[in-house]
Amino acid sequence: MTLIAETKAYAHRGSAWGDILRHPATLWLISAVIVAGAWEIAGRWPISPAFPPFSDTMSALAGLIADGTLGKALIITLKPLAIGLIASVVMGVGLGVLMGLNRFAEWLGSPIFVIAQSAPLAALIPILTFAYGIGLTAKILTVCIMAMPVIVLNSLNAVRHTPATLLDMGHSFLATRRQIIFKIILPAASPVIFAGLRLGCAAGFIGVILAELLITPTGIGDIITYNQSVAEYEKMYAAIFAIMALSVLLISLLEMIETALFHPEKRAQS
Amino acid sequence: MSPAAARKIEARHRPMVEVRHLSKIYAGGVEALNAISVDFPEGQLTSLLGPSGCGKTTLLKIIAGLIPATSGEVMVDGRPVTGPGPERAFVFQDFALMPWANVLRNVAFGLELKGVAQSEREAVAEKHIASVGLGGFEHAFPHELSGGMRQRVGLARALAVNAKVLLMDEPFSAVDEQTRRKFQEDLLELIAREHKTFLFVTHSIEEAVYVSDRIVILSKRPSQVSAIVEPEIGRGRDPDQIRRDSAYLDTVETIWQSLKRYLD
Ligand SMILES: Nc1ncnc2c1ncn2[C@@H]1O[C@H](COP(=O)(O)OP(=O)(O)OP(=O)(O)O)[C@@H](O)[C@H]1O
Ligand SMILES: [Mg+2]
C-alpha cells in the first residue's frame, strides 16, 4: 500500500488555497473572465461599430431570453442539430470502428471521409439544397457532413492503433473475437474516439449555423441574419454567444460521459 | 553433451514442448528460423539464448500459437499446436497490461475471458498477486507501479490461468539490475514450487546460467540450435556463493565463447 499512501499524502500537502487555485473549474473561470474582459475593452475601444462590448451583448442576451425569442429559435435550431449529431455519433463511431476492424470496409469507406474532411463544405450546400430542398433534411445533412468525417476517421485510427501486444495478450489468453473487440480494442481506443466525438460535435454546431445562414434563415441563424441586417449587433452577438455556450456545454457533457465510462484519469501516461 | 547424458535427461523428464523442423519465413522474405528442432523437458526451465534478431521471439510466438510457422510443427503435451491454448501462458517483455484496468482485473483477465465468475476469479487473482509480492496493490493502476511491479502483474496473470507451460520473452529486460536479481531468486523459488515448464528468452548469459536447467543456444539467423548446455550448479545455496562458484563461472565462459563467434 505504501506507494498509493504516499501519493495521497503528497496530494494533501498542498494548502486549501492551492487546491482551489489548481481546481479545473477555477482555471476555467479565470480564463472566462479574461476573455470577457478583453471583449469588453475591445468593444468599448471601439474596434468597429459592428462589435459591441461584452456587457451590451449580455443584456441583449437577457432580453432575447426574456421575450422568448431565443428559446423559440433554439428549439428550431436544435432539431436538425440533435438529429444530425446523434446520427453522426452513432453512425460515425460504428462506421469508424467497423473500418478499423475490417480492411475491406476501410478500403471501401475511408476515401469518402478523407475527402469529406478536407473538402470546403460550404461549397457543397448548394448541391444539397438542389437535391433535398431547403427543409430539415438538407440541414441535418449539413450537420452530418461537418461532424461525421472527424468522428469516423478518429474511430478508425483509434481502433487501428490498438497496441499489438495487447492483442497478442488477448489471443494468448484465448479471447474470442467479440471479447477482443469489447474488452481490449474499444477500451484502448476510447480516448481517441472521444477526442473525435468532441471535435465532431463542435463541427456539428458550425454545420447547423452554416445551414441556417446559407440555406434558409431559421432559428439562431435567423436571429443572426435579421439583427445583422437591422444593425442590432448586440443581439446578433448574443445569439452567437448562446450557441457557443451550448456547444461548450455539450462538449463538457461528453467529457463527463467519458470519465464515467472509461476513467481516462486512471490510465494516465503509462 | 554425450548421448548417454542425453538419454538420462530424456528418461527423467519427458519433453513437454517438442519443436520439429520448424521454419519461419516472414512475409518480407526474412528467414527467421530454418528447420529448427528442439525439446523442452517438463518441469524444467529452458532458456533460449542467441544473438539479437536470431528468431527467439519468433520461436516463442510460434510455440504460443500467436503466429503460424511456415513449415514444421510444434507439439505441446503431445498435441500439435494450431493456435493459443489453455495449457500455455505468455509473459510479455513489455508487460502488456491494460492501462484502464487495475491490478486485480489485469491479473484476473485470463479467467475473465474464460467466463469464470467474478468472485471466484478475483479470489484466484488475489492469491497470485500475493504470491508475487504485490499484496495491497490490487486496486492500483499500472501507471502507479514501477516496471518491476508491472512485470510481477504480468507474471501473476500468467500464473492465474494455471497453465502447464509458461512462455517468457525477456521478462526481466525492462527492469533494473537489482530488481532483476530479486526476480531471478523469485523465479527459482517459483520453479521449485509450481512444477511448471518454463521457456525463457534472455539476452543475459549470466541470467541464463543462473536460472536455467537447460540452455539452448541458437545460431545467427536463420536460426538453428548451435549447442545445448546444462549448467550443473547446485541450487539451494546462498545466491552470492553460486555466483562465485567455479562451475557457474566456467559455464558462463563456455557459453560466451560459443556466442562470441556470432558477433560481427
Ligand atoms: N512481423 C515481422 N515481419 C517481418 N520480419 C520480422 C517480423 N518479426 C520479426 N522479424 C524479423 O525476424 C528476425 C527474427 O526476429 P525475432 O524478433 O524473432 O528475433 P529475436 O531473437 O527475438 O531478437 P531480439 O533478441 O532482438 O529480441 C529479425 O530479423 C526480424 O527483423
Ligand atoms: Mg525478441
Side-chain angles (χ1 to χ4, degrees):
Chain A
M1 231 29 221
T2 40
L3 189 85
I4 299 165
E6 263 172 30
T7 27
K8 282 203 181 128
Y10 185 74
H12 279 281
R13 218 174 288 155
S15 68
W17 270 108
D19 281 355
I20 292 171
L21 276 177
R22 269 190 294 275
H23 194 278
T26 318
L27 293 177
W28 227 95
L29 201 69
I30 292 172
S31 89
V33 167
I34 292 172
V35 170
W39 182 349
E40 185 68 30
I41 293 165
R44 285 184 186 284
W45 194 291
I47 291 181
S48 147
F51 189 71
F54 180 69
S55 52
D56 293 357
T57 309
M58 287 302 110
S59 56
L61 182 63
L64 286 176
I65 293 171
D67 68 8
T69 320
L70 188 72
K72 266 185 237 148
L74 273 180
I75 289 170
I76 295 169
T77 301
L78 284 184
K79 198 170 167 194
L81 180 64
I83 298 173
L85 279 185
I86 289 169
S88 300
V89 168
V90 173
M91 282 169 50
V93 173
L95 280 175
V97 169
L98 182 74
M99 280 156 51
L101 294 173
N102 183 312
R103 293 273 169 187
F104 178 71
E106 184 193 358
W107 176 83
L108 205 65
S110 91
I112 301 169
F113 293 101
V114 171
I115 292 168
Q117 199 185 25
S118 48
L121 290 157
L124 287 179
I125 290 178
I127 305 174
L128 278 181
T129 48
F130 181 73
Y132 298 99
I134 54 168
L136 190 61
T137 318
K139 286 176 186 164
I140 293 172
L141 283 175
T142 313
V143 173
C144 289
I145 290 177
M146 289 296 287
M148 225 154 72
V150 67
I151 297 177
V152 171
L153 295 176
N154 265 47
S155 305
L156 162 63
N157 284 320
V159 168
R160 188 54 50 74
H161 289 116
T162 310
T165 132
L166 282 185
L167 296 176
D168 274 351
M169 187 275 291
H171 288 131
S172 80
F173 287 106
L174 301 168
T176 60
R177 178 83 179 135
R178 212 186 142 76
Q179 287 175 321
I180 293 267
I181 294 172
F182 286 96
K183 290 179 186 285
I184 295 177
I185 294 179
L186 290 182
S190 69
V192 179
I193 292 181
F194 270 91
L197 288 182
R198 287 193 289 270
L199 292 171
C201 287
F205 273 82
I206 299 173
V208 80
I209 297 302
L210 216 58
E212 287 189 331
L213 292 177
L214 295 179
I215 299 175
T216 40
T218 50
I220 298 290
D222 184 33
I223 302 186
I224 294 171
T225 329
Y226 174 76
N227 287 299
Q228 188 189 21
S229 66
V230 299
E232 290 205 50
Y233 295 114
E234 310 83 39
K235 285 187 182 171
M236 176 182 129
Y237 278 95
I240 295 172
F241 182 87
I243 198 80
M244 275 166 58
L246 216 62
S247 165
V248 169
L249 218 65
L250 180 70
I251 288 165
S252 312
L253 187 73
L254 275 175
E255 260 163 30
M256 279 159 64
I257 293 173
E258 185 188 2
T259 307
L261 285 180
F262 292 104
H263 303 288
E265 78 286 0
K266 293 273 176 60
R267 47 178 96 187
Q269 62 302 315
S270 64
Chain B
M1 187 172 52
S2 73
R7 267 196 308 279
K8 204 178 80 195
I9 290 151
E10 297 302 304
R12 255 192 301 141
H13 304 277
R14 72 181 181 104
M16 184 65 173
V17 177
E18 300 161 75
V19 173
R20 296 274 168 268
H21 308 293
L22 199 69
S23 298
K24 176 69 187 180
I25 302 168
Y26 277 108
V30 177
E31 196 179 1
L33 302 172
N34 179 14
I36 192 171
S37 294
V38 59
D39 283 349
F40 299 90
E42 182 175 20
Q44 294 206 331
L45 188 147
T46 307
S47 289
L48 289 170
L49 203 58
S52 187
C54 76
K56 302 181 291 293
T57 300
T58 305
L59 179 57
L60 215 59
K61 282 193 169 173
I62 293 174
I63 294 172
L66 291 172
I67 54 175
T70 309
S71 66
E73 71 172 348
V74 176
M75 309 276 283
V76 173
D77 207 6
R79 277 185 296 273
V81 165
T82 52
E87 74 290 349
R88 283 159 285 152
F90 210 100
V91 178
F92 294 85
Q93 179 174 7
D94 61 357
F95 323 134
L97 302 181
M98 301 178 293
W100 58 88
N102 63 17
V103 168
L104 190 59
R105 177 148 185 243
N106 266 297
V107 172
F109 195 62
L111 299 171
E112 179 181 337
L113 295 175
K114 275 191 192 172
V116 176
Q118 181 163 9
S119 58
E120 193 183 329
R121 66 178 189 248
E122 289 188 347
V124 174
E126 268 163 17
K127 192 185 93 191
H128 287 286
I129 292 168
S131 85
V132 298
L134 281 180
F137 285 95
E138 287 83 357
H139 299 285
F141 281 79
H143 76 268
E144 298 171 308
L145 305 177
S146 69
M149 292 160 93
R150 287 182 208 177
Q151 191 52 290
R152 285 169 191 273
V153 177
L155 188 59
R157 178 177 58 195
L159 292 173
V161 293
N162 199 21
K164 291 179 189 161
V165 180
L166 280 156
L167 306 167
M168 310 170 96
D169 189 6
E170 300 190 41
F172 308 153
S173 66
V175 303
D176 64 86
E177 186 57 30
Q178 286 100 321
T179 313
R180 193 173 180 135
R181 290 205 172 192
K182 177 79 175 75
F183 260 128
Q184 293 165 0
E185 306 301 329
D186 293 353
L187 185 63
L188 287 175
E189 237 176 69
L190 193 74
I191 300 164
R193 195 174 63 213
E194 295 265 0
H195 193 76
K196 290 184 187 303
T197 307
F198 292 83
L199 273 62
F200 185 88
V201 172
T202 177
H203 265 134
S204 158
I205 300 174
E206 284 83 1
E207 179 168 275
V209 175
Y210 189 66
V211 302
S212 310
D213 299 301
R214 208 167 194 241
I215 301 169
V216 174
I217 299 169
L218 299 176
S219 66
K220 253 167 109 163
R221 188 168 62 80
S223 261
Q224 286 182 310
V225 177
S226 117
I228 292 180
V229 177
E230 304 215 343
E232 298 285 339
I233 48 171
R235 304 249 186 255
R237 284 184 292 158
D238 172 32
D240 299 316
Q241 210 181 331
I242 294 176
R243 288 185 209 273
R244 279 196 302 269
D245 186 82
S246 66
Y248 167 83
L249 293 171
D250 287 349
T251 316
V252 169
E253 182 58 25
T254 314
I255 295 174
W256 167 234
Q257 290 305 334
S258 74
L259 276 177
K260 205 161 69 172
R261 64 197 146 109
Y262 297 127
L263 298 174
D264 2 59

